[in-house]
Amino acid sequence: MYSNQDYLSELLVERGTVTPEEITKARDGVSPNQGVVDLLVAVGDVTEEQVAQTIAESAGTDYVDLGGHPFTEHVFQAMDVEVAQRFQAVPLQDDGTYMTVAVADALDFETLDSLPHVVGREVNFVSSTPSAITKVLHDNYGVETEEGDSGTSFTVITEGEIEEADANDAPIIRMVSNMLLEAFRMRASDIHVEPLETTLRIRFRVDGRLVEVESHPKRLLPAIVARVKVMSGTMSIAEKRIPQDGRIQMRIGGKEVDLRVSTVPSNHGESIVMRILDKSSLLLGLPELGFFTDDEAIMREMMGLPDGIILVTGPTGSGKTTTLYACLNYINKPDRKIITVEDPIEYQLPGINQVMVKSDIGMTFGAALRAMLRQAPNIIMVGEIRDVETASIAINASLTGHLVFSTLHTNDAPSAVARLADIGVQRFLIASAVRAIMAQRLVRALCKDCKGPAELTDAEMRMLRLDPAQLEESTIMGPGQCETCRQGGYRGRQGIFEIFKVDDEVRHLINENLSTPQLRRRARELGMRTLREDGIRKVLAGVTSASEVISVTMSDSD
């Protein structure tokens, strides 16, 4: 849409390009979001080239046919993609002092005024057609545009089906689409787009390990960042000085997938991480998460309690949220009201009321929890207990007839007691409210198609404290190589767990103010299986390898 439709229509009449009658007819037929000249072009009374030449004559600029213009890679590096998109501008020449730029509307005084300040050069404007400018932006910046109320703007794609990218798509659109599709095919949990000093590195995290999959010229970074922000629909393409978060919803390979997008400015440009949230994982039961029958029975017993707190602990990326969602999915029945408070909401669960923390407007974990209790829920999930306010409200909720699920960042299960005490919760409240604490880690599962018998090394035997008698009834398995696991030997991950039930004796020990090592020793005497011991069970069962368990667990003596 041009800046001054009436003035431009008068210029077209003066040049004899259109008649006054055609202008009058166009004015009678325009829609609220359309200008007179736009309609004249749409119905064919005037061509884009005629309009561009009229603007050039009035503005005292040259008209340039971009279709035959020789472009160099250097000139596109002189103007960021956000600037090119905002002003619908194409750089043609740049010598560091003067820049020649083609625009569709050289009568737009905002563009004439602002662009020189933005690019830090004196600008020589030339005129061209909107479609020619759009094509150049597509081909060289990867910008996808559509005509809107206030000129040309990014098309916001928040949901769509990604299969193989179309050959007619712009190069950057194809690149980003193929990157997402390949990440999904490799079962990646997240995508890392990282600008280095001279290159752009693409890495996928597959089964917990980062794998470099591509390297591109660094000049593509602004276009890729812009494309990802456009797909999110909520992130600003003009702002690259501060971190931003967004979400992309789409279908890939017939599955609904959410991508949590995070951009952070670094010394070499904006870095992007896209976390892939596959909604099919919500349907996983406890056995699929890695629970053996005995641990599954304990968890089902805990989930059937009418009140109390169940804590899941572990570092970032240990699968805590997935376990909590699986628990909620299991107990989600029509006769129960379940409310969650999360930061952010990772998966949208049908039939469950989910509240997102927004600290900037005062919607903290504590504030959300207080509001939730007035909604009369049966079951509450708190994404994470971070401070004494959240902990106190959660504990009070558990003591007044609610079943509460939450997470903590601790290395093992017994350490959660000390962690709650450290943030200010009194020990008698911990003893009264907490019903169970479960620590967990994720280990890579051996590929079922290529795993085969293996022998443990002497070092592995010592570290796992195994004796030959334990191996007589088991067949230790190790990784192989096949197409299913892409020659890696592992496919998927499973959890290993340490479940600490808080019974009457444990409550007494908590009230006695035992140290964490003392509490841990007593918990083991009462039957608690450690993370490493559960990992050993999975090694003996052929689920994973000894090296995996050793790498993610500490020894029991530690």
Side-chain angles (χ1 to χ4, degrees):
M1 184 179 288
Y2 299 99
S3 61
N4 193 323
Q5 299 272 330
D6 290 335
Y7 177 61
L8 186 52
S9 61
E10 292 175 5
L11 292 178
L12 291 170
V13 171
E14 287 180 9
R15 290 186 95 228
T17 306
V18 294
T19 65
E21 290 75 22
E22 288 173 322
I23 295 294
T24 301
K25 181 180 177 182
R27 285 199 176 105
D28 292 338
V30 294
S31 63
N33 296 324
Q34 190 178 40
V36 175
V37 178
D38 298 323
L39 181 59
L40 290 171
V41 173
V43 300
D45 287 341
V46 65
T47 66
E48 279 192 333
E49 288 76 10
Q50 289 174 315
V51 175
Q53 289 166 357
T54 300
I55 290 175
E57 182 180 293
S58 176
T61 65
D62 294 329
Y63 167 75
V64 175
D65 179 4
L66 297 182
H69 187 83
F71 291 101
T72 63
E73 181 179 311
H74 160 77
V75 76
F76 290 107
Q77 295 175 346
M79 183 181 291
D80 289 343
V81 61
E82 300 96 318
V83 176
Q85 186 275 334
R86 174 184 171 190
F87 293 101
Q88 282 298 284
V90 172
L92 303 181
Q93 294 178 342
D94 177 60
D95 63 6
T97 304
Y98 293 92
M99 181 182 290
T100 300
V101 176
V103 293
D105 189 358
L107 296 175
D108 180 2
F109 292 110
E110 181 185 351
T111 298
L112 301 180
D113 234 7
S114 303
L115 190 57
H117 298 288
V118 174
V119 299
R121 313 270 204 285
E122 291 192 35
V123 176
N124 173 39
F125 289 97
V126 298
S127 296
S128 192
T129 63
S131 59
I133 288 174
T134 296
K135 185 177 187 308
V136 174
L137 294 181
H138 274 218
D139 293 345
N140 295 278
Y141 283 114
V143 173
E144 183 177 4
T145 58
E146 66 178 4
E147 289 298 329
D149 292 354
S150 57
T152 310
S153 62
F154 277 104
T155 300
V156 175
I157 302 176
T158 56
E159 186 168 356
E161 177 81 29
I162 289 190
E163 301 293 344
E164 294 290 352
D166 193 292
N168 295 321
D169 286 337
I172 294 298
I173 296 175
R174 290 201 306 272
M175 178 186 296
V176 173
S177 296
N178 288 334
M179 177 177 67
L180 297 178
L181 184 58
E182 183 61 19
F184 183 78
R185 284 174 174 168
M186 290 179 65
R187 301 172 297 101
S189 60
D190 42 63
I191 302 167
H192 296 251
V193 181
E194 303 165 315
L196 305 179
E197 187 173 359
T198 58
T199 60
L200 182 62
R201 181 173 66 181
I202 310 294
R203 295 195 290 176
F204 298 162
R205 189 180 297 278
V206 181
D207 295 334
R209 305 292 175 93
L210 279 171
V211 179
E212 185 169 345
V213 292
E214 289 182 296
S215 182
H216 295 292
K218 190 179 174 184
R219 64 180 174 81
L220 297 180
L221 175 65
I224 292 175
V225 172
R227 175 62 182 165
V228 170
K229 288 181 176 179
V230 165
M231 293 177 70
S232 79
T234 58
M235 303 170 73
S236 170
I237 60 171
E239 180 58 76
K240 54 185 179 181
R241 299 166 299 173
I242 60 175
Q244 294 189 65
D245 295 302
R247 182 184 288 263
I248 299 172
Q249 295 179 314
M250 59 179 58
R251 292 180 63 84
I252 302 180
K255 288 187 175 182
E256 289 189 9
V257 177
D258 281 0
L259 280 78
R260 271 178 48 198
V261 184
S262 170
T263 62
V264 174
S266 70
N267 56 332
H268 296 303
E270 283 186 281
S271 174
I272 310 173
V273 174
M274 289 177 278
R275 186 174 182 190
I276 302 173
L277 305 174
D278 183 359
K279 293 185 178 180
S280 63
S281 64
L282 295 179
L283 304 177
L284 295 177
L286 297 182
E288 288 80 11
L289 295 178
F291 285 92
F292 280 170
T293 306
D294 50 357
D295 285 344
E296 181 183 350
I298 296 174
M299 287 303 296
R300 292 189 190 279
E301 177 190 346
M302 294 299 104
M303 289 186 288
L305 294 173
D307 55 30
I309 294 181
I310 298 174
L311 293 172
V312 181
T313 76
T316 301
S318 59
K320 300 187 299 296
T321 302
T322 301
T323 297
L324 286 182
Y325 280 155
C327 291
L328 292 182
N329 196 48
Y330 174 76
I331 59 180
N332 184 16
K333 301 292 188 294
D335 61 342
R336 297 171 179 171
K337 184 178 180 70
I338 303 175
I339 304 181
T340 74
V341 53
E342 305 171 62
D343 182 21
I345 296 172
E346 294 196 8
Y347 296 95
Q348 294 180 0
L349 301 169
I352 292 178
N353 301 277
Q354 295 174 267
V355 178
M356 187 166 74
V357 169
K358 295 181 180 178
S359 300
D360 55 336
I361 60 171
M363 190 64 158
T364 61
F365 272 107
L369 264 174
R370 279 190 292 269
M372 285 165 53
L373 292 175
R374 294 193 289 271
Q375 297 282 309
N378 302 105
I379 298 161
I380 296 170
M381 187 193 90
V382 183
E384 182 184 349
I385 292 179
R386 301 177 179 177
D387 51 47
V388 67
E389 179 190 22
T390 306
S392 298
I393 298 171
I395 285 175
N396 288 332
S398 72
L399 294 174
T400 54
H402 303 86
L403 183 60
V404 180
F405 293 85
S406 192
T407 70
L408 273 177
H409 285 271
T410 62
N411 286 329
D412 63 357
S415 297
V417 174
R419 172 64 180 152
L420 289 173
D422 287 343
I423 64 177
V425 181
Q426 294 176 301
R427 280 186 171 259
F428 79 91
L429 289 175
I430 300 172
S432 301
V434 177
R435 298 289 180 266
I437 305 167
M438 184 181 74
Q440 72 174 65
R441 299 291 189 277
L442 293 176
V443 293
R444 292 185 296 169
L446 291 168
C447 175
K448 295 178 181 179
D449 290 347
C450 65
K451 67 179 180 181
E455 292 187 4
L456 297 178
T457 65
D458 291 340
E460 288 173 336
M461 291 284 288
R462 286 195 306 272
M463 295 182 76
L464 296 180
R465 296 185 178 181
L466 292 172
D467 60 64
Q470 290 178 276
L471 305 181
E472 291 178 0
E473 298 179 359
S474 305
T475 301
I476 303 298
M477 306 295 282
Q481 289 185 327
C482 70
E483 291 299 320
T484 303
C485 60
R486 295 177 179 261
Q487 315 304 320
Y490 297 89
R491 183 175 174 84
R493 289 188 289 177
Q494 288 205 348
I496 57 175
F497 308 98
E498 176 178 284
I499 303 177
F500 180 24
K501 289 180 63 177
V502 180
D503 56 17
D504 289 340
E505 184 170 353
V506 172
R507 290 189 188 95
H508 174 73
L509 298 175
I510 293 173
N511 282 322
E512 288 293 311
N513 202 22
L514 264 65
S515 67
T516 297
Q518 291 173 318
L519 192 60
R520 181 176 179 80
R521 281 196 297 272
R522 187 61 184 136
R524 294 194 64 198
E525 291 170 2
L526 293 172
M528 185 189 79
R529 186 181 298 108
T530 67
L531 285 166
R532 177 158 286 189
E533 287 170 340
D534 191 45
I536 291 171
R537 291 203 301 170
K538 291 178 169 65
V539 171
L540 296 176
V543 173
T544 189
S545 65
S547 60
E548 277 293 298
V549 172
I550 293 169
S551 68
V552 301
T553 61
M554 61 183 180
S555 71
D556 299 332
S557 60
D558 293 338

